[in-house]
Amino acid sequence: MSKILHIVNGDSTANILKQSTLQGDIVVWREVLCEGPLDFEVGGDKFWKKRYAYFETELGVSKLEYFDKTIKELIKLEDLLEYNEVVLWFEFDLFCQVNLMALCSYLIKSYRKDIFYYLICTGKVKGKDQLQSLSDFSELEYSVLYNSKIKISRSNLNYANECWKVYVENDLEKLNNFNFNQSNKFNYFQLAINQHLKRFPNKKGLNQIETKILELINSEILTKNQIVHSLLIWQLKETVYGFGNLQYVQYLKKLKNYIEIKDSKYYLNNFGKIVLNT
């Protein structure tokens, strides 16, 4: 009898999957690899050292908490001896696609011929205007998603690993020149990278997200929560970042030289006004 391992993009997907009729064990990929310092070798000592430091310094997550929530899950992927089917559950956005590249890079190191690897990646759905996330599907629909899974080969995993290396290097020219559309198994790599390119600074030294934040603050008086809420709405309508509250709070913190806060309300300071309006 086939023993299945589902590797999912987050706890929300894991919870829906548990409520479905699908069988198998679940590993949750709890990382935010679209933010913070990276290393080519996913799971290596340098990789963990950089991620530990980022989560502790920037996000206030202790090493113990990071180990319990993230590393403990990934350790389960080191030995897949009892499984003959591995299914990856991810979404179209930048957040997920970078994590997917990293996961493929991790899996190729321990690739086994006796395991069937599959990908379920939500996005375009016939009859839907917006790209669909895994949370847009019910537990009953997860069986349909599973039945439409696509097989990924060793060469597919190798290609995703190459994409990961280019992303980690984060050289603007190389990102622009590399073809992230070479495999029809990974339909959203290029879309995600196109979004990532907008995080490089413009002539004013601001990227797309930073510019949007300053525009929001300039247009009306808002609290931190209201700014983040507006960014989430903007993201859904105009981007494919796939970020949560935490990522946008971090971007807001980095703009301290452009803003001032009075009574929990955010305003542009003189420098912020000059930069935004010139």
Side-chain angles (χ1 to χ4, degrees):
M1 185 177 176
S2 176
K3 183 149 188 194
I4 305 168
L5 177 66
H6 302 280
I7 307 175
V8 302
N9 67 326
D11 291 285
S12 175
T13 301
N15 291 334
I16 301 172
L17 188 57
K18 288 173 185 176
Q19 295 169 29
S20 75
T21 57
L22 296 173
Q23 302 299 307
D25 297 331
I26 300 173
V27 165
V28 183
W29 184 271
R30 296 192 189 98
E31 247 292 3
V32 193
L33 296 177
C34 57
E35 294 287 352
L38 301 171
D39 188 77
F40 294 112
E41 186 183 353
V42 181
D45 290 342
K46 287 183 180 178
F47 179 87
W48 291 132
K49 192 174 291 185
K50 289 180 179 181
R51 299 310 291 171
Y52 266 137
Y54 171 71
F55 271 81
E56 189 169 42
T57 305
E58 299 294 327
L59 305 181
V61 176
S62 69
K63 288 185 178 180
L64 181 60
E65 186 180 355
Y66 180 74
F67 179 83
D68 285 341
K69 288 188 174 181
T70 302
I71 299 181
K72 269 188 178 180
E73 287 292 291
L74 267 63
I75 286 173
K76 298 175 185 177
L77 303 180
E78 291 181 354
D79 183 9
L80 302 177
L81 191 62
E82 61 181 301
Y83 301 103
N84 48 24
E85 184 176 314
V86 174
V87 186
L88 318 182
W89 296 72
F90 284 80
E91 299 169 354
F92 62 87
D93 55 65
L94 173 65
F95 187 106
C96 260
Q97 291 298 295
V98 173
N99 283 342
L100 176 58
M101 290 177 194
L103 173 56
C104 290
S105 177
Y106 191 71
L107 289 174
I108 196 63
K109 293 188 294 183
S110 58
Y111 177 84
R112 287 180 35 213
K113 292 181 180 179
D114 58 336
I115 293 179
F116 292 100
Y117 298 85
Y118 296 97
L119 174 63
I120 295 165
C121 188
T122 58
K124 294 178 182 176
V125 174
K126 189 176 181 180
K128 300 282 187 180
D129 292 332
Q130 287 188 330
L131 296 172
Q132 301 294 291
S133 300
L134 285 164
S135 58
D136 293 318
F137 297 85
S138 69
E139 64 270 17
L140 296 175
E141 293 172 310
Y142 267 41
S143 294
V144 178
L145 290 174
Y146 175 78
N147 290 332
S148 63
K149 63 189 182 296
I150 58 172
K151 191 174 186 300
I152 49 178
S153 64
R154 185 173 193 166
S155 63
N156 296 145
L157 291 173
N158 272 320
Y159 168 67
N161 181 41
E162 288 303 307
C163 292
W164 166 251
K165 289 177 180 178
V166 176
Y167 177 80
V168 172
E169 193 171 355
N170 206 32
D171 179 273
L172 182 58
E173 185 177 355
K174 290 182 180 179
L175 285 166
N176 272 306
N177 292 333
F178 186 85
N179 183 3
F180 289 88
N181 265 336
Q182 294 178 55
S183 171
N184 60 6
K185 301 296 178 74
F186 303 105
N187 291 326
Y188 301 105
F189 276 179
Q190 188 66 64
L191 180 69
I193 293 300
N194 290 345
Q195 191 68 73
H196 172 59
L197 289 170
K198 294 181 179 180
R199 296 197 295 170
F200 281 81
N202 58 23
K203 293 178 181 178
K204 296 180 180 181
L206 299 169
N207 65 25
Q208 185 190 42
I209 297 172
E210 293 162 341
T211 300
K212 184 63 180 180
I213 291 173
L214 296 187
E215 288 174 348
L216 285 170
I217 295 172
N218 190 50
S219 64
E220 57 182 315
I221 300 171
L222 299 168
T223 64
K224 178 176 72 176
N225 290 341
Q226 288 171 330
I227 293 168
V228 171
H229 179 69
S230 295
L231 288 169
L232 293 172
I233 294 173
W234 165 71
Q235 164 180 276
L236 191 62
K237 292 180 178 179
E238 300 182 35
T239 80
V240 290
Y241 284 117
F243 293 167
N245 294 33
L246 188 59
Q247 284 75 53
Y248 285 124
V249 168
Q250 291 302 112
Y251 275 98
L252 186 56
K253 285 180 180 178
K254 293 174 184 176
L255 291 171
K256 61 183 180 181
N257 291 335
Y258 302 84
I259 61 179
E260 56 184 56
I261 306 170
K262 295 179 183 178
D263 299 324
S264 300
K265 302 291 178 66
Y266 283 69
Y267 304 84
L268 293 187
N269 60 23
N270 288 334
F271 179 61
K273 291 175 183 176
I274 292 170
V275 171
L276 184 62
N277 297 309
T278 56

